Amino acid sequence: TFYACETRMSTDELTQEIKQNMIEHFAENDDVANVKLVDLKLVHKGGNEYKGMADVIIENPVADLLNNAFENDYLELKKNIEVTYSVEVIYDGESFSWEIQQ
């Protein structure tokens, strides 16, 4: 006899799933800016709610252009900007959704 049992993902497993989902999302929506996920940490708040921090690198598209145009050592624009965002996640045991808090 075979018993199917649905197991809820651990917080670590959920974090890995959401990381992959975010990477795919950023890759598909890079028309605004080139964003790369560096790290994601989640904690279980309770029930279906999780909260976390996402470290991302946003490419500054005008950095090279302005740095080359002005050649000013004092005003060197960074090519990549590191930003940390708060993330809220809902996971009901079957599916999840995540939202970056601005």
Side-chain angles (χ1 to χ4, degrees), residues 5-63:
C5 97
E6 188 177 299
T7 58
R8 188 176 175 92
M9 282 189 278
S10 70
T11 302
D12 287 341
E13 291 169 325
L14 180 62
T15 301
Q16 292 308 313
E17 287 288 320
I18 292 176
K19 257 185 177 176
Q20 188 58 41
N21 189 266
M22 285 179 141
I23 289 167
E24 291 168 7
H25 173 79
F26 293 144
E28 292 169 4
N29 298 289
D30 67 353
D31 51 335
V32 176
N34 190 5
V35 179
K36 289 189 172 65
L37 180 67
V38 177
D39 196 20
L40 175 67
K41 292 179 179 63
L42 287 181
V43 293
H44 187 202
K45 285 174 52 177
N48 293 345
E49 296 181 33
Y50 294 76
K51 193 164 181 78
M53 302 301 280
D55 297 326
V56 300
I57 292 178
I58 303 171
E59 187 177 294
N60 184 351
V62 297

Side-chain angles (χ1 to χ4, degrees), residues 63-77:
D64 285 339
L65 181 69
L66 290 178
N67 288 337
N68 291 339
F70 294 106
E71 296 180 10
N72 185 343
D73 292 335
Y74 301 107
L75 182 66
E76 184 75 20
L77 292 177

